Amino acid sequence: MTQTQLHQRGPSIFSDDDPVVQGRSLLPQAREPGAYVPRFGDTDFWDFNKILKRPANVNASEWKINFSLELEDPYWNLLAREVMMLAFNQHHPMVLKRGVILAGRTDPRTLAAMASHIRTAARWARAKGLSHHPDGWTLDDLRQRITDLAAKGTSEGTVKSHVTTFKTLAAAEPILSLPWPAGDPWLGQSPGKVANLNIDGRLSTQAVPPATWFPLIRAAWAYLHTFAPDVLRADRRLRELREAACPSIVGMDQRLEEWLADPGSSIPVHAASVEAKDPQVNWHLLTLLLGFTQGNYTTFTSHKPANKRRRALVLQAVTEGRTTTQALVEGLVQVNRPDGSTGPWHPGLDPRALLNAKIALRGAAFTLVVGLSMMRDSEIHEILRERVVEYYSTPAIASTKIKGTANRPGKHWWIAEPLVEALAVAEAVSQHPERVFAPVRASQQDGTVDGVDMLATFVTFVNANRAWTGLDEIPTTYIRPHMFRKTMAMLTDQFPNSEIATGIQLKHLATRALANASTRGYAASDDAWAKYLGGALDNVKFRKIKDLYERHTAGEQIGFGPGAERVKDAFDQIDATVKARNGDARTADTLLRTTRIHIRFGMLNNCTADHNNPVGAVCLENAIVPEGHVGPLDERCRPDRCANSMIGPEHLPIYDSHQRTQLQLINTPSMPTCRRDLAERELDITRNVLKMAGVSQ
C-alpha cells in the first residue's frame, strides 16, 4: 500500500491497483484466472516472469525488480516506482494529458537499471552530506554526480545510462508526486554526448584477435563436421541403453555370467585411469551395458557377499586385460596428434564424457553461428528448432530481433552451408522442446545459457583435449559475442564481393557503409588484422583478374558495358606484349600485377573506376561525399548507365530473376500504385542492363 509521504506534493497519478504493464501483449498464462500482474502499489518487487515474454538469453532473476536497500525508504521507493511506471507506460492517458513526453523503457532490465541508478544516487548524496531527499538537491548536484562517476573510471556506457535516468526524471518531474530538481541538467545534449560516448563515430567494440579467430573457427568446424557424428552416435546408443534398462536387479547374476562368457564383451573403464596405468571400472556404464538401470551399480560396490562375488568376476576380467574405453561406440574418427601419432580423437565417450562433448558441440555451434552470421547474441538464443529456411532462394536463419524493439519482429539472416550443419548439430544435442541453444541437461530446461560462458567453455575444452584431437591451441584472450559481429563486419567490408553483405547483414538498409557511422564503425579495419587483410585482399583480387585474363585470351566473354571494354583493351595490350616477348604465363602474371587495372568486384556488377580519380562515375553526380572517403559511392551505383560499369556473365542470372520478380509485382492487381511505380523503375533499370549485355527481352 502506497503511503502519503511527508514531502509529497500531491497524490500520485497512479492508484495502487493500476497494473504496471499496460498496452502490452501479455503471455497467455498471464490472462488465466489467478494470474497476477504486478501493480503500482507493490512495494516489495515487480515480477514480470510469466507476464511478459522473456528473451531466451535472460535469466528469470533479471526479469524481476526487487525494491531493496535504499529503496526500502518509502520516499525513494515511491519515487522509483513512479518514474519506472511513467517510463514503462509513456502512452498512459494521464501522462499524455499532462503533456509529458518520455522515451519508452519497455524492458524490465532497463527499469531495474533505473532503480539501481536512483538507489546509488541516494547513497552518493548521503556520502556527500547532501539532503537525504532530492527536494534539497540542485541541478549542479546532479551534474556533480555524473562527474564523480566518470572520475571513478566508470565506463562511458554506464555513465550514459545514469544520465538517461536523470533526464527521464527531469522530463517526468512535472507529474511526479515527490519533489525532484526541476529542469534538464544537460539541456540540448544527448546522454551519449554528456558521457563522451562514441562522439567520433568509432565503436568501442574490438575485433577478435586473428591469433584467436583462426584456431577458434577451425576448432568449431572440426567438432561440428568431423567429431559430431561420433558424439551423436554415442548419444543414440546411450539413449537406447537407458530406454531398455530394467529397474529391477532380478536376473543380474545370470546376465553377468552370460555377458562375461561372450569373448566380445569388454569391461568399460575410465579413460583417465588407463592413462595412469591403473584401470578403474566404470560401474555405472557396466550396469547399463548389462541391461539394468544406472542406479543399480551398487550391486557391484556394496559389501554384501553377493555383490562382492559379482565385483570379483568383473575385476578378474579386468586383470585379464578385457577392458575398453570405447564401450558406447567404437571406430571414432582418427586424427593426427601433436606428438606425431595417429589415433581416435577422444580417449573414451562414457556418459560423463559424452555430456561434456555435447556441451562442446553446443559451444562449437554457437561459435560458428556468432562468428559467421553477424547475428547478435540475443538473436542467436531466440533461434527455434527447424528455423533454417529458404529466403529469396538462399539458406537463411529465421529468428527474432530483440535489440531496439518492443514487438520482437521476425528477421532473416542469410547463411552459408556450414552454418546449416552447425544448427543441425545444435538441434540434435538440445533437450529444449523449442530452443536450439539451451541447457544440455534435460533437468535444466527452464534455465538459460550464457553466450560468454559457451565461448569460454568451448575454448577451455578444445585446449584441454588438444593432445587427442590434434587441434591448434586457442589463445585464451578476452572474447565476447559482440566482438564476432564486429570482426565479421570488418572482414566482409575488406574482402571483395562483400558490400551487399555488409549492408544487409547489419540491417542498415537505408544508408550503406560509407554513409552510416554505425556500419562504418563496425566495418573499420583493425590493426591486428591489417597484415592478414592486406595480403589476402590483394591475392584474391589478383586471382580474379588473372582468371578474367585467361578467359578473355581463350575467347570467352568476360563482360559487357563500357567498363568491360576498357578491361578487354588492357588485356589485349598485355596479350600482345606477351606474344611480342615470346613470353609465358609467368610473363603474363608479371604484366597483370604491374598494369593499372582497376576492378572492384561486386554482386550486381564490377566497378572499373580508378578510386583515386573516378572519372565518369555516375554515383558521384550531385552526391555528398563523406569526409575522408576516396573512390565511388557503392550505395549510389547505377550499373545500367555508368561508364565504369562492367556486367559479367555471372551477374546476368541475378538481373533475369529480378526482371521476372518485378513483372510479377507489376501484374499483381492488388499492388499499391506507389509500389507498382517503384517496380516499373526497377524493371527499366534491369532491362537496360540486360540490353547492354545483348539479352533479348
Side-chain angles (χ1 to χ4, degrees):
M1 177 68 66
T2 301
Q3 299 178 356
T4 302
Q5 302 301 314
L6 178 63
H7 302 274
Q8 201 161 344
R9 298 184 296 187
S12 174
I13 66 171
F14 302 108
S15 67
D16 287 348
D17 291 333
D18 281 348
V20 174
V21 182
Q22 302 181 25
R24 298 272 303 275
S25 297
L26 303 180
L27 293 174
Q29 54 263 44
R31 296 189 290 270
E32 295 177 356
Y36 185 78
V37 177
R39 305 288 172 174
F40 175 70
D42 296 336
T43 59
D44 296 329
F45 60 85
W46 291 350
D47 190 351
F48 298 96
N49 289 289
K50 300 182 181 180
I51 304 299
L52 295 176
K53 174 68 176 176
R54 174 163 50 91
N57 64 335
V58 175
N59 290 313
S61 60
E62 299 177 78
W63 219 235
K64 181 177 179 179
I65 302 173
N66 285 301
F67 301 115
S68 58
L69 300 177
E70 283 81 357
L71 291 185
E72 290 182 351
D73 182 310
Y75 184 103
W76 290 106
N77 187 290
L78 176 58
L79 179 66
R81 284 186 291 116
E82 276 196 340
V83 72
M84 288 190 294
M85 189 79 173
L86 291 167
F88 207 52
N89 302 284
Q90 69 271 24
H91 298 304
H92 188 282
M94 291 300 294
V95 177
L96 297 177
K97 184 177 180 180
R98 301 290 185 90
V100 173
I101 300 176
L102 298 173
R105 301 287 182 266
T106 58
D107 192 315
R109 290 171 296 176
T110 307
L111 298 188
M114 293 177 67
S116 174
H117 300 157
I118 293 172
R119 179 172 60 248
T120 54
R123 185 186 306 161
W124 168 84
R126 286 202 305 271
K128 287 287 187 178
L130 299 178
S131 169
H132 283 199
H133 298 133
D135 56 343
W137 297 1
T138 66
L139 296 183
D140 286 336
D141 293 330
L142 298 180
R143 297 187 191 100
Q144 187 61 46
R145 166 61 177 158
I146 298 303
T147 301
D148 290 352
L149 277 174
K152 289 195 310 181
T154 306
S155 70
E156 294 171 345
T158 301
V159 173
K160 175 188 173 183
S161 64
H162 279 265
V163 173
T164 300
T165 296
F166 286 166
K167 279 180 164 287
T168 301
L169 280 161
E173 185 271 334
I175 55 176
L176 291 175
S177 65
L178 292 169
W180 181 263
D184 187 340
W186 304 278
L187 188 62
Q189 298 183 66
S190 68
K193 185 174 181 60
V194 175
N196 294 319
L197 180 66
N198 198 28
I199 58 176
D200 57 358
R202 293 179 298 178
L203 294 178
S204 60
T205 301
Q206 298 297 312
V208 178
T212 299
W213 172 275
F214 289 113
L216 178 57
I217 296 298
R218 284 195 295 263
W221 179 238
Y223 270 87
L224 294 168
H225 184 69
T226 306
F227 305 153
D230 289 341
V231 177
L232 298 180
R233 189 159 51 96
D235 190 45
R236 287 192 297 270
R237 172 62 174 155
L238 181 60
R239 190 162 53 248
E240 292 169 357
L241 289 172
R242 286 174 171 168
E243 290 173 354
C246 178
S248 171
I249 62 171
V250 175
M252 168 72 81
D253 291 317
Q254 181 180 352
R255 173 58 183 150
L256 177 60
E257 291 174 2
E258 293 174 351
W259 194 78
L260 290 175
D262 183 355
S265 299
S266 298
I267 306 299
V269 294
H270 295 286
S273 67
V274 174
E275 294 180 26
K277 299 182 179 180
D278 182 23
Q280 300 294 315
V281 178
N282 188 331
W283 299 106
H284 292 83
L285 182 53
L286 175 62
T287 305
L288 276 176
L289 292 172
L290 291 172
F292 300 91
T293 53
Q294 196 169 319
N296 286 318
Y297 79 97
T298 55
T299 57
F300 294 103
T301 58
S302 68
H303 297 292
K304 294 180 180 179
N307 296 342
K308 289 182 178 180
R309 187 178 65 81
R310 297 186 191 107
R311 185 182 183 88
L313 291 174
V314 174
L315 294 179
Q316 177 60 36
V318 173
T319 303
E320 295 170 0
R322 295 177 57 185
T323 62
T324 181
T325 60
Q326 307 287 357
L328 276 179
V329 290
E330 297 179 341
L332 299 185
V333 170
Q334 302 288 300
V335 295
N336 296 321
R337 296 170 178 161
D339 61 3
S341 64
T342 301
W345 69 272
H346 198 283
L349 288 171
D350 59 25
R352 178 173 295 180
L354 179 59
L355 176 63
N356 292 333
K358 289 165 64 177
I359 293 173
L361 290 184
R362 183 190 64 190
F366 181 83
T367 298
L368 215 59
V369 173
V370 77
L372 303 180
S373 71
M374 290 191 185
M375 298 180 73
R376 294 184 177 91
D377 177 76
S378 60
E379 295 159 348
I380 295 174
H381 282 80
E382 293 291 333
I383 299 175
L384 303 180
R385 292 183 179 275
E386 300 181 358
R387 300 307 290 167
V388 175
V389 299
E390 188 175 273
Y391 187 63
Y392 286 92
S393 303
T394 304
I397 299 174
S399 187
T400 303
K401 184 177 182 294
I402 303 294
K403 184 175 181 180
T405 64
N407 56 348
R408 300 168 62 88
K411 294 288 183 180
H412 291 84
W413 287 262
W414 282 314
I415 57 174
E417 287 300 325
L419 295 192
V420 176
E421 190 169 335
L423 289 174
V425 173
E427 282 192 42
V429 300
S430 173
Q431 296 292 311
H432 196 277
E434 297 179 345
R435 298 204 312 266
V436 170
F437 293 101
V440 172
R441 291 183 176 87
S443 61
Q444 299 178 339
Q445 291 315 296
D446 288 338
T448 60
V449 286
D450 184 84
V452 175
D453 287 343
M454 279 194 284
L455 291 172
T457 300
F458 180 66
V459 170
T460 301
F461 188 87
V462 170
N463 288 340
N465 292 277
R466 286 185 57 243
W468 290 94
T469 61
L471 295 172
D472 296 332
E473 183 174 5
I474 304 172
T476 54
T477 51
Y478 178 89
I479 52 174
R480 294 293 184 268
H482 62 280
M483 296 171 64
F484 288 82
R485 180 174 160 86
K486 154 70 178 178
T487 305
M488 196 59 187
M490 177 193 66
L491 291 175
T492 54
D493 182 71
Q494 298 297 321
F495 281 106
N497 294 333
S498 67
E499 298 82 4
I500 290 180
T502 303
I504 292 179
Q505 295 286 41
L506 289 178
K507 296 175 288 299
H508 300 300
L509 296 176
T511 53
R512 292 289 312 283
L514 295 172
N516 183 282
S518 178
T519 308
R520 187 166 65 248
Y522 265 99
S525 185
D526 182 275
D527 291 340
W529 282 88
K531 63 178 181 180
Y532 293 97
L533 292 175
L537 179 59
D538 291 340
N539 290 335
V540 170
K541 183 176 180 180
F542 176 74
R543 285 196 300 269
K544 284 179 170 287
I545 292 177
K546 182 179 177 181
D547 177 65
L548 284 179
Y549 172 76
E550 291 174 349
R551 286 164 50 196
H552 177 68
T553 55
E556 297 181 25
Q557 180 62 262
I558 64 170
F560 310 92
E565 296 305 317
R566 288 205 303 273
V567 172
K568 293 174 185 177
D569 290 343
F571 285 166
D572 288 338
Q573 294 177 23
I574 292 174
D575 188 44
T577 304
V578 171
K579 291 177 179 178
R581 296 180 182 178
N582 294 319
D584 53 12
R586 180 173 298 179
T587 304
D589 283 1
T590 301
L591 290 172
L592 283 171
R593 288 188 182 276
T594 56
T595 303
R596 293 175 59 84
I597 300 176
H598 302 284
I599 304 179
R600 184 180 178 89
F601 296 94
M603 292 293 292
L604 300 179
N605 75 325
N606 301 327
C607 178
T608 63
D610 182 348
H611 282 206
N612 295 316
N613 185 26
V615 177
V618 174
C619 60
L620 297 178
E621 293 179 359
N622 302 317
I624 299 176
V625 180
E627 184 179 353
H629 174 73
V630 176
L633 292 170
D634 300 329
E635 76 279 7
R636 303 183 79 243
C637 181
R638 285 296 304 270
D640 60 321
R641 67 183 189 89
C642 183
N644 296 307
S645 179
M646 174 181 177
I647 306 297
E650 68 275 11
H651 300 128
L652 297 181
I654 298 175
Y655 284 101
D656 179 63
S657 175
H658 192 56
Q659 175 182 235
R660 285 184 276 109
T661 300
Q662 302 312 309
L663 285 171
Q664 184 178 4
L665 293 174
I666 292 171
N667 294 326
T668 301
S670 60
M671 186 62 57
T673 302
C674 59
R675 184 66 183 86
R676 182 178 286 106
D677 291 343
L678 178 61
E680 289 176 348
R681 289 196 297 271
E682 287 288 314
L683 181 61
D684 289 341
I685 294 173
T686 303
R687 283 179 167 172
N688 288 338
V689 171
L690 293 174
K691 182 179 179 181
M692 182 191 305
V695 178
S696 59
Q697 306 299 312

